[in-house]
Amino acid sequence: MLLRTFFSSLLPAALAASALAAPADLLAIRVGRAETVSHGAIEHAVILIEDGRIVTIGADLPVERGIPVIERPEWTVMPGLVLPYSRLGLDGSAGSEFAPDVSPAPEVLPRLSDYRDALELGITTIGLYPPGNGVPGQAIAIRPKGDTLEEMLIKEGAYLKVYFRADARSKKMIKDAWAKVDDYDDKVKKAKEKWTKDQEKSKSSKKPAEGEKKDEEKSDKPAEKASDSGKGAAKSFVPPPPDDKVRPFLRVRDGKLLPLVSISQSADWAHWLDAIGERKFDFALRVVMQRELDLYYVLEEVAKRKCTLVMEPEITYQVATMRQRNLPAEFASAGNRIVLIPRGEELDAHASWRVDVGDLVKNGLERKSALDALTLAGAAVMGLEKDYGSLEKGKVANLLFLDGDPFEPATKVMAVMLDGEFVHGEVRQ
Amino acid sequence: MKASFEGSVMRSAAWLFALAPLLSGGVFAQEGGESQGGGEGEASSSGDEAKDEGDWFAVVGGDVHTGTGAVLRGATVLARGGVIREIGHEVDIPADAKLLDATGLRVYPGLVALNVRGVANRFGSGDYADSFDPYSQNLVLALAAGITTVSEGSVALKLKRREVKGVVMRERFLSTLNYSTSAPRSKGELEQKFDAAAAYLRRYREWEEQKKSNKDLKEPPARGVDPSIRAILENRTLARFNSTSRTDLLGIARLAQKHKFRPVVEGAVEAWTVADELGRAGAYAVVVPRTRRDKSEELVRAGGSSIENAAILHRSGVQVAIQASSTFVDLGGIAGRDILHLPIEAGFAVRGGLPEQAALDGITIVPARILGVDHRVGSLEVGKDCDLILLDGDLLHYQSLVQYTVVDGKLVYEKDKELYYAHIRPRPVAQAADAPQARRDKGEDAASASDSDGDGEGKPEDKPEEKPEEKPEEKPEEKPGDGASDGDSDGRAD
């Protein structure tokens, strides 16, 4: 395993070195240990960074002369923390509404000290969700640095926030949302039938077969095609554009938008399943951790659905007892992916985030799941796992440098790198 | 379910989804507010479906107290899809049936608790179908107490565990009326409403008769007729009164006799003083046998509470339902007064002279009738829901604990596996693991220990009175309670 990593990473290193006519942005960092998250830990790791991305990572890689090297054998590096579920720096509020098209982007005030603080703690990617209950809108992913929103923004529509409780209103909201999707599908179907008839009438002689084939393709993704309606209306079928409130759920149906469903007990889960009925789509769960939480009843059911759970690193109690339960660990060992987020909105909670997760590790959570829960799993919830969340070739160089194990309370942040640049810590070559 | 679906598949699925209610009415009817009064139709349609499919489930070798008067020793209850298919001795059990060994245990219908609060743990403002908590602690405790059906507010609920479908059995079957001599004006208005509704119904029936000969006749106007009173007079709903005093109860009985409807009187503390009148009215009485109330100073006649209340009412032909003195699961208050001790409450009525069969009826079939769900629950009969409880002794004995609870043909509570009572008189391991074949001898033991309780189905009516029910001092399986389970579970439920 190690050997393979070594070889696979040696090759690009050599390539990079050979193409080193102008080593402008190249930077090598040699540290004692790298927690890659995706491929385990690498001792004596060397990371080569170019243009804000990781070019290669491996153990004891030789570094071409001329490339600046930062030698920190006493440091541990891990991916910058990914916090997918946050209201950091936002203070808007909203009621309980069905507004799946809303984005929190207008709320964001760049250059807030909150973002600076988060960055100094090693949080390099943040998912901000819109306020309110019901279906309040879609989250955005940002980097906590930048003078303008554009500079900060990584992705719009990171996930769809759904607040679900076991009550008639929540269930009706979800059922109505899907009913609207069905209505829209009917509308598209009718429009298509009409269009096909018109086509046959107007040019019955001209190759209808090809035309029909095109329809099929088009109507498979009506939400997409609605946008390019400018193209010749006669040639291809253009479905009617969906309503703004329908479009997000079309994307959910097509697997392009992940609903993050907030629940707080097993009953919510049971009624959520009842509300979505036979529909098949991916969703993640946001679990509100309370002192007593009865979610252990549905561990296996949730695992069957392969849901990612977003939860705080808290030990909870079995209902009406003093029996402690490490639910994140239980969910992880049942086969669910978990995302752990700070226990509160305040700075202290963010500062103790790693250590809080470390407490769960001491209480039985697998270390691997814990590291994943701080980084890659969070990126995956936002659909950013291709670029963020682990130390891999090609990924964005968001790095967190520590002077020891990430889960030890005494461990301090030594430096933070965002997009290949040190943004915190004194680092000299 | 992981991958996103092809558009075409999704479309057809969505289309089917939209069509589903038209085709069967099944999925949506179950959860929607369909059950307003149309309980019968819904039950029969879904029942027919359930009969032909679903999992087989059999309770084998127990002494089955059917609740209809018959007790079948060492019998089998066979259910499919949650509906009882057969009860008897030589029942062919399909190979794939799930078996529950009831050897040495008594099988009773699941209990029906009236006017409960907080068991279904309603969170939101919506109806129970959308807010029932199938995982709540109170629900499990209620199942542990043998309760399988409750009424909260005006809704009859099946206590399903881990499921939210089909929880609401019937809604708004009871309509609450106020009748109090201390509020003479509203009392008078109520009487007028009844008179008006009765007069209207007479006109209506006359019209129906005359319509046959004269088709031009117009339907009499229903103006000024209270629809809820009309529903009562047409026996579509039951009238519920909350009255404790003798005069009120007498007034209600007279009103009911005059208009020929069956009143449900709750509270009914002094009902024993007017039991004959209530009996003539065909009333249901919901009593709390442990209620204590002094008689009014002004009253010359008998009054106040009586331990004989339930017994006297029963003798007078009133159907007695028994309710616990506090209506919720109470883990902090005085043990034994909340709904977790419903059979003990019934035991107090037995102490006052109520026959045991009537006491059993008072926590099963009578409350089921009051809720309009007696076609589904309240006794063990073929065609009814397979809701039953298994106890290690007589239901009304203070020492008996519910060992298993079955709702809709599914095992939902098992004493030895739950936190609450597992450590109290745990069942011997060998017996629990026993195969159903070895049932006979155990059954006989239990039968001989308890006297001639169920020798024949021939005389179901007078049987209850004949025997002072056994109090098994020492049960064969009893062990000194050594707190088998771990520390933090002990004494929870009390």
Side-chain angles (χ1 to χ4, degrees):
Chain A
M1 176 65 203
L2 194 68
L3 204 67
R4 209 183 60 194
T5 344
F6 181 75
F7 276 118
S8 64
S9 45
L10 193 65
L11 189 65
L15 279 175
S18 67
L20 205 62
D25 286 333
L26 262 174
L27 174 68
I29 304 166
R30 192 186 294 275
V31 292
R33 184 183 166 91
E35 298 280 2
T36 66
V37 177
S38 52
H39 298 87
I42 301 173
E43 303 290 338
H44 311 294
V46 175
I47 307 173
L48 196 63
I49 292 159
E50 185 180 24
D51 288 337
R53 298 224 172 215
I54 298 171
V55 177
T56 182
I57 175 169
D60 283 326
L61 297 182
V63 180
E64 189 89 356
R65 188 171 305 173
I67 298 177
V69 181
I70 294 168
E71 299 265 2
R72 290 291 184 279
E74 70 281 10
W75 283 6
T76 295
V77 67
M78 67 177 288
L81 306 179
V82 179
L83 168 51
Y85 190 84
S86 177
R87 292 278 301 157
L88 195 68
L90 310 181
D91 58 2
S93 65
S96 178
E97 279 178 67
F98 183 77
D101 50 331
V102 165
S103 160
E107 284 183 81
V108 177
L109 294 171
R111 298 198 307 275
L112 270 189
S113 66
D114 301 34
Y115 299 124
R116 174 85 222 153
D117 293 339
L119 194 56
E120 289 180 4
L121 293 168
I123 300 167
T124 52
T125 312
I126 301 176
L128 296 173
Y129 59 86
N133 298 338
V135 182
Q138 301 173 34
I140 56 170
I142 60 156
R143 58 178 69 81
K145 192 171 193 300
D147 291 335
T148 62
L149 179 64
E150 287 67 40
E151 276 179 51
M152 297 177 79
L153 196 65
I154 298 172
K155 184 183 180 182
E156 291 239 38
Y159 53 82
L160 178 67
K161 185 178 174 201
V162 177
Y163 177 95
F164 188 87
R165 290 295 179 270
D167 58 43
R169 196 169 64 170
S170 278
K171 285 179 91 168
K172 187 170 182 298
M173 205 176 267
I174 296 302
K175 285 180 183 169
D176 287 354
W178 285 114
K180 275 184 193 150
V181 169
D182 290 343
D183 289 348
Y184 174 72
D185 282 344
D186 282 349
K187 210 166 117 188
V188 171
K189 206 173 138 197
K190 272 180 200 152
K192 193 185 144 197
E193 274 167 13
K194 186 169 176 285
W195 179 82
T196 319
K197 265 186 202 166
D198 291 352
Q199 284 296 95
E200 279 166 8
K201 263 188 213 165
S202 62
K203 36 179 175 176
S204 50
S205 56
K206 288 179 192 174
K207 43 190 173 179
E210 195 188 320
E212 255 176 19
K213 197 181 159 199
K214 265 188 183 168
D215 301 344
E216 298 271 321
E217 280 169 23
K218 298 280 165 189
S219 54
D220 274 352
K221 292 163 187 174
E224 295 296 286
K225 296 301 155 192
S227 55
D228 53 14
S229 51
K231 289 178 190 172
K235 272 190 183 172
S236 64
F237 168 68
V238 179
D243 186 77
D244 280 346
K245 298 199 179 203
V246 176
R247 200 189 305 269
F249 277 83
L250 289 171
R251 299 189 64 218
V252 167
R253 187 191 65 183
D254 298 338
K256 289 175 188 152
L257 182 63
L258 184 75
L260 180 62
V261 184
S262 161
I263 62 169
S264 69
Q265 54 193 335
S266 289
D268 298 339
W269 167 260
H271 285 280
W272 165 253
L273 291 189
D274 191 42
I276 63 174
E278 298 296 308
R279 289 177 194 271
K280 310 278 192 227
F281 59 92
D282 283 347
F283 56 87
L285 292 176
R286 155 77 181 132
V287 175
V288 183
M289 301 295 266
Q290 294 151 330
R291 190 180 171 280
E292 291 185 354
L293 188 62
D294 69 353
L295 274 181
Y296 40 82
Y297 290 122
V298 296
L299 277 173
E300 278 141 38
E301 277 183 52
V302 175
K304 244 186 263 169
R305 296 238 172 191
K306 298 265 176 252
C307 290
T308 301
L309 294 104
V310 179
M311 56 213 307
E312 287 94 349
E314 302 247 25
I315 300 283
T316 53
Y317 290 91
Q318 183 156 338
V319 172
T321 69
M322 292 301 285
R323 188 177 290 181
Q324 293 192 330
R325 308 223 34 166
N326 186 349
L327 280 179
E330 289 182 50
F331 273 106
S333 53
N336 294 290
R337 196 167 194 191
I338 55 165
V339 175
L340 295 169
I341 60 172
R343 294 168 66 172
E345 292 283 308
E346 66 282 1
L347 186 64
D348 279 357
H350 289 73
S352 67
W353 182 17
R354 267 183 300 115
V355 177
D356 291 337
V357 173
D359 282 345
L360 295 192
V361 175
K362 289 185 186 101
N363 282 289
L365 177 64
E366 259 191 81
R367 193 184 157 84
K368 193 166 165 275
S369 307
L371 284 167
D372 184 56
L374 285 168
T375 54
L376 192 54
V381 164
M382 297 190 285
L384 298 174
E385 70 273 28
K386 275 189 188 136
D387 289 317
Y388 295 87
S390 65
L391 304 184
E392 281 178 277
K393 183 193 155 192
K395 286 211 174 179
V396 172
N398 285 349
L399 307 178
L400 168 58
F401 297 92
L402 304 161
D403 66 348
D405 186 271
F407 297 130
E408 284 303 319
T411 301
K412 287 194 287 292
V413 174
M414 303 312 289
V416 178
M417 177 180 271
L418 183 71
D419 296 320
E421 279 174 35
F422 282 103
V423 290
H424 173 61
E426 292 198 8
V427 183
R428 272 184 231 134
Q429 289 165 25
Chain B
M1 68 188 65
K2 183 92 175 86
S4 66
F5 269 57
E6 293 286 309
S8 56
V9 177
M10 254 342 273
R11 254 202 323 283
S12 62
W15 189 73
L16 270 179
F17 198 75
L19 221 91
L22 300 176
L23 289 175
S24 67
V27 186
F28 285 95
Q30 281 289 44
E31 64 192 66
E34 201 258 11
S35 25
Q36 286 97 307
E40 294 276 353
E42 182 204 1
S44 62
S45 70
S46 69
D48 285 346
E49 270 171 40
K51 271 180 192 171
D52 290 336
E53 53 193 67
D55 297 333
W56 290 96
F57 178 82
V59 178
V60 183
D63 296 345
V64 181
H65 294 241
T66 59
T68 58
V71 181
L72 307 172
R73 302 271 172 214
T76 294
V77 180
L78 179 67
R80 186 175 199 190
V83 177
I84 297 176
R85 299 288 292 264
E86 218 171 328
I87 306 175
H89 285 102
E90 273 155 28
V91 176
D92 288 332
I93 302 172
D96 59 342
K98 274 194 186 157
L99 297 185
L100 180 60
D101 179 21
T103 308
L105 298 177
R106 295 177 183 221
V107 183
Y108 291 92
L111 309 183
V112 182
L114 291 171
N115 301 325
V116 153
R117 279 185 291 137
V119 169
N121 254 32
R122 185 180 188 185
F123 313 111
S125 51
D127 61 342
Y128 283 91
D130 290 336
S131 60
F132 182 78
D133 182 353
Y135 298 98
S136 90
Q137 177 192 222
N138 286 355
L139 173 79
V140 181
L141 283 166
L143 292 171
I147 297 165
T148 56
T149 302
V150 299
S151 72
E152 286 202 22
S154 60
V155 186
L157 299 161
K158 181 70 76 77
L159 295 188
K160 291 201 167 199
R161 199 171 174 192
R162 306 181 193 101
E163 281 179 82
V164 294
K165 282 217 161 50
V167 163
V168 174
M169 298 175 76
R170 189 153 199 178
E171 287 180 284
R172 290 183 279 280
F173 184 64
L174 286 173
S175 68
T176 304
L177 300 177
N178 286 318
Y179 185 97
S180 171
T181 42
S182 60
R185 190 164 156 198
S186 68
K187 170 174 163 275
E189 279 170 6
L190 184 69
E191 281 165 347
Q192 278 169 18
K193 277 184 195 169
F194 268 103
D195 288 340
Y200 166 76
L201 286 177
R202 272 195 296 278
R203 283 201 304 279
Y204 185 82
R205 276 175 208 130
E206 270 171 30
W207 167 74
E208 277 188 322
E209 274 304 307
Q210 288 165 5
K211 196 173 58 168
K212 288 171 191 163
S213 49
N214 182 0
K215 286 190 179 168
D216 296 336
L217 225 54
K218 276 185 186 163
E219 186 178 333
R223 223 179 316 118
V225 177
D226 188 318
S228 67
I229 304 289
R230 184 182 167 182
I232 291 164
L233 293 182
E234 289 175 338
N235 284 326
R236 284 184 282 122
T237 59
L238 283 178
R240 166 166 66 180
F241 300 88
N242 199 317
S243 308
T244 48
S245 80
R246 171 199 162 86
T247 41
D248 290 352
L249 290 163
L250 193 57
I252 291 163
R254 293 269 162 83
L255 183 70
Q257 287 171 33
K258 181 180 173 193
H259 293 293
K260 303 205 167 40
F261 68 93
R262 287 182 159 227
V264 178
V265 290
E266 295 186 346
V269 177
E270 291 184 344
W272 59 282
T273 59
V274 289
D276 51 345
E277 291 274 356
L278 286 168
R280 239 169 274 147
Y284 297 94
V286 182
V287 301
V288 181
R290 270 188 280 179
T291 305
R292 292 291 169 267
R293 186 179 137 145
D294 289 339
K295 111 179 211 187
S296 161
E297 299 268 328
E298 305 146 20
L299 208 61
V300 182
R301 301 177 203 237
S305 58
S306 165
I307 194 172
E308 293 181 82
N309 192 12
I312 293 169
L313 286 168
H314 174 70
R315 275 205 297 278
S316 308
V318 176
Q319 299 200 46
V320 180
I322 290 161
Q323 185 183 322
S325 51
S326 91
T327 55
F328 43 91
V329 175
D330 187 356
L331 301 180
I334 302 166
R337 298 185 69 86
D338 63 344
I339 63 159
L340 298 186
H341 302 83
L342 192 57
I344 290 182
E345 199 70 53
F348 273 85
V350 175
R351 175 174 286 227
L354 186 69
E356 291 198 18
Q357 180 65 43
L360 175 62
D361 289 350
I363 49 179
T364 53
I365 190 72
V366 176
R369 283 180 195 136
I370 290 173
L371 298 175
V373 293
D374 53 314
H375 60 293
R376 289 185 56 189
V377 300
S379 63
L380 299 179
E381 292 175 76
V382 172
K384 282 197 174 188
D385 294 2
C386 183
D387 295 355
L388 44 87
I389 54 178
L390 286 78
L391 286 91
D392 52 350
D394 189 85
L395 176 66
L396 301 176
H397 193 277
Y398 58 83
Q399 201 177 37
S400 305
L401 283 174
V402 173
Q403 303 290 324
Y404 301 99
T405 303
V406 173
V407 171
D408 288 336
K410 286 179 194 156
L411 185 61
V412 291
Y413 169 78
E414 202 167 337
K415 169 176 162 269
D416 291 347
K417 290 193 179 163
E418 292 304 326
L419 198 60
Y420 307 107
Y421 300 102
H423 58 291
I424 303 172
R425 292 193 294 282
R427 301 186 68 210
V429 179
Q431 190 185 337
D434 230 358
Q437 280 87 315
R439 69 188 181 210
R440 250 344 302 178
D441 42 357
K442 289 273 187 177
E444 298 289 26
D445 285 351
S448 55
S450 63
D451 54 30
S452 65
D453 183 344
D455 44 356
E457 35 264 273
K459 36 174 184 171
E461 217 40 62
D462 48 353
K463 175 152 42 70
E465 279 94 339
E466 78 191 32
K467 39 88 223 257
E469 183 63 35
E470 77 289 354
K471 304 280 179 229
E473 254 85 52
E474 283 292 317
K475 296 192 183 151
E477 67 266 34
E478 191 179 352
K479 271 187 186 170
D482 55 350
S485 74
D486 35 17
D488 41 12
S489 67
D490 44 21
R492 275 256 106 251
D494 285 347

